């Protein structure tokens, strides 16, 4: 019989415990704040916005590094490279197929961790369990960073290297790109990129959609405000959008107007609500710290330029016909008073029998009838089973002992 070694079996249980049920939300920043030995790791999760992505996941496993190991990983690398490396330890959203992790049962009861790429070394090993919230999040400490040569060797992208207009045109947003250039707003975008920029670019079809105002009728200042409204002066990847609760300011925000929008999420779907209409985030064009570019399926229309979305018209009140005015009879000739001799004497009063009812029979009583099957009690149990993959796809090898 072949059996899993106890430590490896326990780790597999921890890694896969997230695949059992729906659980409450978690906050990785708050969790790690209680452990000062992971403060540098926690700080980089916030700087790279990976913390937001972790918090947006229903279930996830985090491979944490203590301050010494995190310092070795960060070194003098740019933030974009650090983010890709940390993604392997958290969300698995690393470039290409580099997000895969190899977990191997080593000799002497140790469990090794390394990149799943062929030839990668198992330079890290399991240290301890840091925090477990069943079916929700598992935080494990490993001894050293999982280094991926392909990530380390790749040239670090620079914000100044990103050609925004070329990226937009390739993504099907030529109209938006053309407006940015002709209005000069592209220069404002490029200036903001160094500190952080997120762009929401409407695709070409959205400018032809029914209900989109005629932009040619806007003044120069209004067109500039509209284009600035489609960008945020901060790096806001999709995970940060999903966890956003407060209205988000834009490049158009100033003292004269808010020019902000709110975010609504439903599963993996993210929708931007301007107050005039809503627009779905359709795809990611670029996500490279500190710049993110998304396409949206509608032009974002701020209330400051186009007013609020119209409320539904109230139902018309029922029209009632006016009651006819009473008609007074036309005056006629005065009638002669009848002669007292011609009047008939009144009839004598008729006595009512004592046992006669004073009024007709009362209305029949009404009784509410209830049907035995009018209201049914549905007792069919609802089965809730959500199987969710752990953060990084795990490749398990050498776990069986002959």
């Amino acid at each position: 019989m072949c059996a899993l070694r106890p430590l490896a079996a326990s780790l597999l249980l921890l890694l896969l415990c997230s695949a059992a049920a729906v659980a409450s939300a978690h906050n990785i920043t708050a969790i790690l704040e209680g452990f000062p030995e992971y403060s540098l790791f926690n700080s980089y999760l916030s700087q790279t916005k990976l913390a937001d992505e972790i918090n947006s996941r229903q279930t996830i496993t985090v491979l944490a590094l203590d301050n010494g190991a995190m310092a070795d990983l960060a070194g003098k690398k740019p933030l974009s490279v650090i983010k890709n490396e940390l993604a392997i330890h958290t969300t698995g959203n690393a470039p290409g197929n580099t997000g895969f992790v190899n977990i191997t049962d080593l000799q002497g009861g140790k469990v090794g961790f390394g990149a799943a790429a062929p030839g990668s070394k198992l330079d890290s090993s399991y240290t301890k369990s840091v925090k477990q919230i069943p079916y929700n999040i598992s935080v494990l400490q490993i001894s050293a960073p999982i280094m991926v040569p392909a990530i380390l060797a790749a040239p670090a992208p620079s914000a100044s290297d990103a050609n925004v207009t070329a990226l937009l045109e390739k993504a099907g947003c030529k109209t938006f790109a053309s407006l940015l250039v002709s209005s000069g707003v592209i220069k404002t975008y490029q200036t903001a990129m160094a500190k952080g920029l997120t762009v929401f670019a409407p695709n070409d079809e959205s400018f032809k959609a029914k209900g989109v105002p005629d932009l040619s009728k806007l003044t120069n200042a209004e067109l500039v405000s509209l284009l600035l409204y489609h960008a945020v002066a901060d790096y806001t990847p999709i995970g940060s959008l999903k966890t956003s609760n407060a209205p988000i300011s834009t490049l158009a925000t100033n003292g004269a107007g808010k020019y902000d929008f709110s975010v609504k999420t439903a599963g993996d779907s993210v929708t931007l609500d301007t107050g005039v209409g809503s627009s779905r985030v359709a795809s990611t064009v670029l996500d490279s710290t500190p710049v993110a570019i998304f396409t949206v399926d509608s032009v974002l229309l701020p209330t400051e330029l186009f007013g609020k979305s119209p409320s539904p018209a109230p139902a018309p009140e029922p029209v009632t016909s006016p009651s006819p005015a009473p008609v007074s009879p036309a005056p006629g000739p005065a009638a002669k008073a009848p002669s007292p001799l011609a009047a008939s004497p009144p009839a004598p009063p008729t006595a009512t029998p004592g046992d006669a009812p004073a009024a007709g029979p009362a209305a029949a009583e009404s009784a509410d009838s209830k049907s035995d099957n009018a209201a049914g009690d549905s007792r069919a149990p609802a089965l809730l089973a959500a199987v969710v993959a752990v953060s990084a796809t795990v490749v398990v090898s050498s776990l069986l002992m002959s």
Side-chain angles (χ1 to χ4, degrees):
M1 290 282 292
C2 293
L4 286 173
R5 295 185 182 180
L7 179 56
S10 299
L11 279 177
L12 282 177
L13 181 60
L14 289 175
L15 290 170
L16 299 176
C17 69
S18 61
V22 177
S24 59
H26 52 261
N27 186 321
I28 186 61
T29 305
I31 290 173
L32 293 178
E33 279 177 351
F35 303 91
E37 61 268 37
Y38 308 116
S39 60
L40 191 57
F41 180 75
N42 199 15
S43 173
Y44 275 110
L45 289 183
S46 297
Q47 291 180 55
T48 58
K49 303 298 180 77
L50 283 171
D52 293 332
E53 178 69 18
I54 293 170
N55 294 339
S56 72
R57 297 288 185 89
Q58 192 172 40
T59 54
I60 195 168
T61 298
V62 175
L63 303 178
L65 300 171
D66 64 18
N67 293 335
M70 186 64 229
D72 291 339
L73 171 61
K76 296 182 179 180
K77 302 180 184 73
L79 196 60
S80 57
V81 173
I82 296 173
K83 177 179 180 178
N84 288 337
E85 277 286 350
L86 285 181
I88 300 167
H89 298 72
T90 54
T91 64
N93 288 339
N97 62 352
T98 57
F100 292 89
V101 174
N102 178 17
I103 305 175
T104 300
D105 188 7
L106 303 174
Q107 296 296 326
K110 290 185 177 181
V111 176
F113 290 78
S120 298
K121 297 180 180 180
L122 297 173
D123 290 331
S124 183
S125 61
Y126 169 78
T127 302
K128 66 179 181 180
S129 172
V130 179
K131 181 73 174 181
Q132 304 294 327
I133 301 178
Y135 316 123
N136 189 203
I137 187 171
S138 173
V139 182
L140 310 176
Q141 180 186 343
I142 57 176
S143 62
I146 300 173
M147 297 294 192
V148 180
I151 292 177
L152 298 176
S158 171
S160 59
D161 294 337
N163 188 329
V164 176
T165 53
L167 290 171
L168 292 176
E169 289 174 356
K170 187 176 180 181
C173 304
K174 293 181 179 180
T175 303
F176 183 68
S178 175
L179 289 171
L180 290 178
V181 174
S182 62
S183 65
V185 172
I186 188 62
K187 295 180 181 178
T188 306
Y189 279 22
Q190 290 168 340
T191 301
M193 286 171 66
K195 294 184 178 180
L197 179 71
T198 302
V199 179
F200 301 97
N203 57 41
D204 291 336
E205 292 301 317
S206 65
F207 286 94
K208 307 172 186 176
K210 183 180 179 181
V212 176
D214 185 356
L215 302 186
S216 65
K217 294 183 179 180
L218 297 178
T219 65
N220 232 15
E222 289 172 339
L223 179 60
V224 167
S225 295
L226 176 64
L227 296 174
L228 291 175
Y229 184 66
H230 285 74
V232 175
D234 188 23
Y235 171 59
T236 313
I238 198 70
S240 299
L241 289 173
K242 288 180 180 179
T243 57
S244 175
N245 296 319
I248 296 178
S249 298
T250 66
L251 289 179
T253 301
N254 54 45
K258 290 183 178 179
Y259 282 97
D260 57 14
F261 58 81
S262 58
V263 180
K264 298 178 181 178
T265 60
D268 287 333
S269 178
V270 177
T271 303
L272 312 180
D273 188 352
T274 69
V276 176
S278 59
S279 182
R280 183 181 63 89
V281 176
S283 65
T284 301
V285 178
L286 175 69
D287 183 356
S288 179
T289 312
V291 178
I293 301 177
F294 303 101
T295 64
V296 291
D297 58 12
S298 301
V299 178
L300 303 181
L301 304 176
T303 57
E304 288 78 4
L305 294 179
F306 303 100
K308 295 184 178 180
S309 56
S311 302
E317 295 183 1
V319 179
T320 55
S321 302
S323 302
V327 179
S328 300
K336 293 182 180 180
S339 171
L341 296 178
S344 302
T350 305
T352 303
D355 57 350
E365 295 183 357
S366 61
D368 293 336
S369 61
K370 296 182 179 180
S371 172
D372 292 341
N373 60 355
D377 183 12
S378 175
R379 302 182 183 277
L383 177 62
L384 177 61
V387 179
V388 185
V390 292
S391 59
T393 303
V394 180
V395 179
V396 181
S397 65
S398 305
L399 283 176
L400 297 179
M401 180 181 68
S402 57

